[in-house]
Amino acid sequence: MVTSDSPSFVGGDLCLDFTNTVDGSRDGEFQDRVTSFGDLVEWSLSAQTIDRKEFEEILGEAEKDPEEAARVLGRAVKLREAIYRLVRAEDRNSPGFRSDLDVLEGELEVGLSRYGICQTATGEIQWAWRRATTLEALLGPVAKSAADLLSSDQMARVHVCGGPRCTWLFLDTTKNHRRRWCDMKTCGNVAKVRRYRKRKAEESS
Ligand SMILES: [Zn+2]
């Protein structure tokens, strides 16, 4: 749950943070924070999957080709919703799961083409993303993050926020595995205030 216009990164994993660009319930009342290609580029900059120079270049390219920008936005939303369902799925043998996996696989095929090894200034070899030069390049890091998470034992630590109107996902990395809220400052605080009011009401009755 958010209380400001700036993107929030409390999910503990890039792909979860991307699914958290929807506030409220996907089945009911919700607010989507990625409704334009500009929103998608802004989010990517905030998520640090692109730097300021890539941000400017990609926005420039999008201005030249608004149709491609609209297509990539559509793919981004499709990928985001597929990730949300994949992560929450209880039945990994359902046709829905398989078709969401196809969406992810399709984006991985395109996205991973710019992921490879490079040599650092000190001579070390490491995996890295090559510069993002196309509009669709924004989707690669999110798709890879989802594939990494889905294929890891961290999946058991992914939870939905306990807030009454919040469906944000987070990776519980706390030692005692008892994290319940997307963010203590928002949903956690609402719960704290509720408990306090309930206690006060019980005391005075
Ligand atoms: Zn929440």
Side-chain angles (χ1 to χ4, degrees):
M1 182 170 93
V2 284
T3 51
S4 73
D5 282 339
S6 52
S8 191
F9 296 93
V10 294
D13 195 282
L14 182 71
C15 72
L16 299 182
D17 284 326
F18 193 48
T19 68
N20 292 346
T21 54
V22 172
D23 292 331
S25 165
R26 279 167 164 81
D27 302 329
E29 236 177 86
F30 67 88
Q31 190 195 350
D32 190 340
R33 289 173 179 268
V34 180
T35 56
S36 69
F37 186 80
D39 291 341
L40 179 64
V41 196
E42 290 270 1
W43 183 86
S44 303
L45 180 66
S46 301
Q48 298 180 337
T49 59
I50 52 169
D51 60 23
R52 175 63 64 176
K53 195 160 178 276
E54 290 169 311
F55 172 82
E56 306 285 354
E57 283 169 6
I58 289 174
L59 272 186
E61 288 301 315
E63 257 172 51
K64 280 188 254 165
D65 194 350
E67 281 177 14
E68 172 64 0
R71 269 195 298 272
V72 172
L73 172 67
R75 276 168 55 190
V77 171
K78 196 173 173 189
L79 174 65
R80 182 188 66 189
E81 297 312 302
I83 293 171
Y84 187 81
R85 287 188 297 266
L86 285 168
V87 169
R88 294 202 60 185
E90 284 168 10
D91 180 5
R92 286 190 166 197
N93 293 311
S94 71
F97 188 86
R98 188 60 242 176
S99 84
D100 284 334
L101 212 52
D102 286 343
V103 171
L104 176 58
E105 275 174 357
E107 291 303 344
L108 280 171
E109 217 171 287
V110 182
L112 289 183
S113 63
R114 102 183 153 82
Y115 191 62
I117 51 168
C118 73
Q119 194 168 15
T120 66
T122 52
E124 285 156 36
I125 304 288
Q126 64 181 31
W127 285 97
W129 292 96
R130 280 183 282 278
R131 283 196 68 71
T133 52
T134 59
L135 308 192
E136 66 183 4
L138 297 175
L139 309 183
V142 174
K144 181 182 178 294
S145 158
D148 285 342
L149 182 64
L150 283 162
S151 60
S152 79
D153 55 10
Q154 298 283 293
M155 275 301 291
R157 304 257 182 98
V158 176
H159 301 291
V160 188
C161 175
R165 277 182 297 279
C166 182
T167 53
W168 277 18
L169 302 173
F170 62 84
L171 186 64
D172 183 0
T173 53
T174 59
K175 267 192 192 147
N176 57 9
H177 308 320
R178 290 180 67 185
R179 178 174 165 188
R180 291 178 62 196
W181 318 110
C182 63
D183 193 346
M184 275 315 290
K185 292 197 288 290
T186 54
C187 290
N189 197 43
V190 168
K192 209 161 78 182
V193 170
R194 277 192 179 179
R195 279 200 304 275
Y196 175 78
R197 285 197 184 136
K198 192 165 170 249
R199 204 168 57 233
K200 282 283 156 198
E202 277 165 7
E203 276 169 16
S204 58
S205 65

